[in-house]
Structure formats: C-alpha cells, structure tokens
Amino acid sequence: QAKQLGRKRFVVFDEALAKDMVDVLTMESELRKALRQNEFEPHFQPIFRLGDGQIVGYEALIRWNHPQRGLLKPHDFVRIAEDSGLIEAIDWRLFEMSCRMLAQKGPAEQFVTFNVSALHLRHADFDTRILKMLERTGLASSRLITEVTEGALLDNPESVRSMLDRLRVAGVGAALDDFGTGYSSLSYLHSLPMRMLKIDRAFVHELDKVGSKNSTTVVAAILALAHALNIQVIAEGIETQAQFDTLLSMGCEMGQGYLLGRPAPIDEWL
Ligand code: C2E
Ligand code: MG
Ligand code: MG
Ligand code: MG
C-alpha cells in the first residue's frame, strides 16, 4: 500500500512539478547570466505636474532585454528573482543605472523614483548604501525618491521608519506606493516620513465610471489627509482625460499613466 501511494505521488511530481522546477532553474541561471551581461535596464515613466503638464520626474521600472524572449516586464521574472535571492543584486544594478542616467541627462529639477522592496529594507545599511551610490553617480540626494509599499513597512515598522528618517535627513525622499491597496490605515500616515503618496491605479480607474461616488470620496479623503500632512500626491495609472480632469479639479498635484506617457527607455524623454 505504501508503495502504491509512493508511486502515485511520483506521478504527480513527475508531471507538473518537474516542469516547474526545470523552468525555475532555467530562469535562475538565465537571470545570473543576464546580470553578468547587463541585460537589465530601467524604463522611465514620466510623472507630470497636472496643473501645467510639466514633467517633474520619472519612475524607473525594470525591464529585461532577454536575448530570445524580447523585452520582459517585472511580472515575468521578479517573483523568481526574489525567490532565488537574485533580486537584490539586480535591483542595485538598476538603481545605480537609473541615478546615473538622470544625473547625466535630466534637468536638475527632475527627480527619479525606484521601487524598494521589503528585502532591501531589512538591511540596516540600506541608507548608507544609497548615499554612497548617490556620491558615485553624482545625483543630488534631493532628486531621489524611494517608493515603498505599505506591506514592506509592516515587516519591521520601527527600523524602517528610522531608516527612512535617516534618508530624509540626508535629503532623499520617500513615496508610499500603491496607496489604498494594502493594509491602509489613513491613521498611521502621519507617523511615516513620506514626501509623497501614490494613489493606486485601482482608485483612479474607478473615477470616471458611472456610480463612482465611492472612489471619488476615497480619493478626496486621501488628498485631504495627505495635504494636511504636507505630503504631495501622485495619481497612478491615469488612462483617460476624464480621470485626469477629475484629479486636477480635486487638487491632486501629480500623475502618471498611459494617457500621459508609457514607460520607455530614457532616450525617449531626455
Ligand atoms: P508599481 O510600482 O505600482 O508600478 C506601476 C506599474 O503600473 C508599472 O508596471 C507601470 O508600467 C504600470 N502602469 C503605468 N501607467 C499605467 C496605466 O496607465 N495603466 C496601467 N494598466 N498600468 C500602468 P510594471 O513596469 O509592469 O511594474 C509592475 C510592478 O513591478 C511595479 O508596480 C513594481 O511593484 C514592480 N517593479 C518595477 N520595477 C521594479 C524594480 O526595479 N525592482 C523591483 N523589486 N520591483 C519593481
Ligand atoms: Mg512604484
Ligand atoms: Mg505603484
Ligand atoms: Mg500600483
């Protein structure tokens, strides 16, 4: 009986799992090779001031120029890069490229943001490493904004808070990403050293729909609280003129989205 059970298990393993495992291992070795051969690059999505249409900064979003599969997005590989522990090396490479590109090409008043995951925030020397990178790349600290999600903050709120605070003192800002999707509690926002807050595109998407009264109320509440706390607001995922108009009329200062500009190589913008 035990033998039978064992055989059955083996069958299950053989089919799905084995293929998954091969895929994961293949991807891992490809990721290693990609790091060696510099196949990662940031695409920049412009962030606009809604009032006058000026580009005030860019979000750096990772892309992988895969030699066979073409341009890959985070969805295609970040999960495996995280599980294999490679994401940190990949991210640092990307952060450094993004800072260097903006320092060399961007007007001095434009900033760059990049996405910092919980893994990075676990390192007590994350802030000093960021500051060293800024020195190396020549980007003024005031031009860098780290994007962190609420989930990443939950991990170890006290140490993350003091880390972000040390960065703030050094001039580096922080933005709370995907606001409204996580464990959002409007009430703890005041205790975080955020320069900006990014309203998740799920809310923006709802804005121009019939019966969108609820999301309009939520966005208005987010804007009111952020502004009372001296935090600037970026709306994510603006896709229609109606969404843009509503956000502008509600006093949202910045936005990004396909209506305004898709993520693209830096040469597209600078
Ligand atoms: P995110 O930080 O919320 O980034 C915004 C995502 O929304 C980007 O997808 C962007 O291309 C997409 N987007 C922008 N405007 C619109 C719009 O108008 N409509 C729609 N439907 N989507 C829009 P992307 O580049 O695929 O990135 C997905 C996620 O991957 C990011 O979400 C971020 O969490 C993560 N990510 C991106 N770059 C990095 C990186 O360098 N390192 C790490 N660890 N994660 C990254
Ligand atoms: Mg982001
Ligand atoms: Mg976001
Ligand atoms: Mg989002």
Side-chain angles (χ1 to χ4, degrees), residues 189-208:
L189 193 58
H190 74 276
S191 68
L192 298 169
M194 293 295 154
R195 189 185 300 173
M196 299 174 185
L197 173 164
K198 303 185 76 170
I199 299 180
D200 191 74
R201 71 178 147 90
F203 296 102
V204 174
H205 186 72
E206 292 292 316
L207 278 181
D208 56 1

Side-chain angles (χ1 to χ4, degrees), residues 147 177-178 236:
E147 293 196 12
D177 199 4
D178 302 339
E236 298 191 285

Side-chain angles (χ1 to χ4, degrees), residues 45 59 62-63 74 91 94 115 177-178 236-237 239 258 263:
Q45 182 174 39
E59 177 172 8
I62 192 165
R63 297 293 182 264
D91 273 346
L94 192 94
N115 294 280
D177 199 4
D178 302 339
E236 298 191 285
E239 292 182 352
Y258 294 166

Side-chain angles (χ1 to χ4, degrees), residues 118-213:
L119 283 172
H120 295 287
L121 297 173
R122 259 175 233 155
H123 295 285
D125 67 343
F126 176 74
D127 55 326
T128 51
R129 208 170 158 183
I130 288 277
L131 297 179
K132 278 186 197 149
M133 180 189 72
L134 288 172
E135 239 169 70
R136 264 198 315 276
T137 59
L139 188 77
S141 60
S142 59
R143 301 180 64 192
L144 177 62
I145 309 280
T146 60
E147 293 196 12
V148 296
T149 60
E150 298 162 82
L153 294 171
L154 278 187
D155 220 31
N156 193 345
E158 274 323 305
S159 85
V160 171
R161 183 171 315 176
S162 62
M163 178 122 61
L164 293 179
D165 216 41
R166 290 197 298 278
L167 282 170
R168 184 185 58 78
V169 168
V172 178
L176 197 52
D177 199 4
D178 302 339
F179 191 77
T181 58
Y183 310 82
S184 305
S185 144
L186 290 175
S187 63
Y188 74 73
L189 193 58
H190 74 276
S191 68
L192 298 169
M194 293 295 154
R195 189 185 300 173
M196 299 174 185
L197 173 164
K198 303 185 76 170
I199 299 180
D200 191 74
R201 71 178 147 90
F203 296 102
V204 174
H205 186 72
E206 292 292 316
L207 278 181
D208 56 1
K209 285 198 181 153
V210 208
S212 64
K213 235 180 128 207

Side-chain angles (χ1 to χ4, degrees), residues 16 28 48 54 73 90 102 109 157 171 180 208 233 245 257 261:
E28 267 190 46
F48 289 82
Q54 290 293 309
K73 294 189 176 178
I90 294 171
L102 201 75
E109 63 279 2
D208 56 1
V233 178
D245 295 342

